[in-house]
Amino acid sequence: MGLKTMVAVSLWMILPLGILGSLLHFAFDWSRHNRFAAIFSAVNESYWEHIKIAIWPVMLLQIVLFSLGGHRYPAFVPAATIALYSLPVSMIGLVYLYKSITKRNILWMDISVFFVIIAVAQILFVLLLEQLAPNWATIVLSVLFLVGLIAAFLRFTIRPPQEPDVFIDPTNQNYGLRAHPDIDSTPPR
């Protein structure tokens, strides 16, 4: 796949990525609380879980694009890594910004922010892919940061840090799988 096609696909996929991420909000319940599905879908209403359902669809598209020719472009991995890291930063920034004004979560605003951050990540990916001229150190650092991000998203649903801003479910003050309303929330002994 050529660069122009990769750019076009990345931009055309903004809406499908937002829809797929939105569907991942419900996939844990649809899977009857399958722990494998928990890694990729939202298990509670924390910011972490909403960031996760944005990260995985974007990462899936990047894996597909990488395998279809993205590996030929030195800027691909750094661009993909920066775009993925932009998702949590953008989501938390925009949600806290609008909540500082409204003093509460508003569903349509949350959904809008979700689609906006995916659009920002895709546009950032495209701009960096087209314009970045990384050296080997940039690529190696990008791979290390990408591995760290993947490890965090694989681990922190099952064993989230007890951090009250990003990982706590605001509806019940629990973390990870224990915050899901259909799962036993008693702390482990």
Side-chain angles (χ1 to χ4, degrees), residues 41-90:
S41 55
V43 300
N44 65 49
E45 293 299 321
S46 70
Y47 289 120
W48 178 259
E49 297 297 317
H50 289 86
I51 293 166
K52 183 173 69 175
I53 62 175
I55 290 275
W56 289 120
V58 172
M59 190 178 300
L60 174 63
L61 175 61
Q62 290 173 346
I63 290 168
V64 169
L65 292 175
F66 185 81
S67 66
L68 293 176
H71 55 62
R72 294 188 303 235
Y73 302 99
F76 190 96
V77 172
T81 302
I82 292 168
L84 287 168
Y85 271 88
S86 77
L87 290 164
V89 172
S90 299

Side-chain angles (χ1 to χ4, degrees), residues 30 33 44 87 90-91 97 111 118 136 145 147 157 165 171 179:
W30 293 340
H33 307 135
N44 65 49
L87 290 164
S90 299
M91 182 178 288
L97 174 66
I111 294 167
I118 288 176
W136 67 269
F145 273 90
V147 168
T157 290
D165 292 322
T171 64

Side-chain angles (χ1 to χ4, degrees), residues 58-182:
V58 172
M59 190 178 300
L60 174 63
L61 175 61
Q62 290 173 346
I63 290 168
V64 169
L65 292 175
F66 185 81
S67 66
L68 293 176
H71 55 62
R72 294 188 303 235
Y73 302 99
F76 190 96
V77 172
T81 302
I82 292 168
L84 287 168
Y85 271 88
S86 77
L87 290 164
V89 172
S90 299
M91 182 178 288
I92 290 172
L94 288 175
V95 169
Y96 276 96
L97 174 66
Y98 97 70
K99 280 180 60 178
S100 73
I101 297 165
T102 65
K103 307 296 184 219
R104 64 188 179 97
N105 281 87
I106 301 170
L107 181 60
W108 72 265
M109 290 283 290
D110 291 334
I111 294 167
S112 298
V113 165
F114 187 78
F115 279 83
V116 165
I117 66 153
I118 288 176
V120 166
Q122 290 303 102
I123 292 167
L124 185 59
F125 170 71
V126 164
L127 290 173
L128 291 171
L129 182 62
E130 291 180 319
Q131 298 174 16
L132 189 64
N135 62 22
W136 67 269
T138 304
I139 295 168
V140 169
L141 281 173
S142 297
V143 168
L144 292 175
F145 273 90
L146 189 56
V147 168
L149 186 70
I150 292 168
F153 278 94
L154 290 173
R155 177 170 171 77
F156 289 157
T157 290
I158 307 302
R159 296 209 176 271
Q162 302 298 298
E163 187 279 324
D165 292 322
V166 174
F167 293 93
I168 198 165
D169 183 327
T171 64
N172 60 27
Q173 304 303 303
N174 283 319
Y175 295 88
L177 290 170
R178 285 193 186 85
H180 192 280
D182 297 335

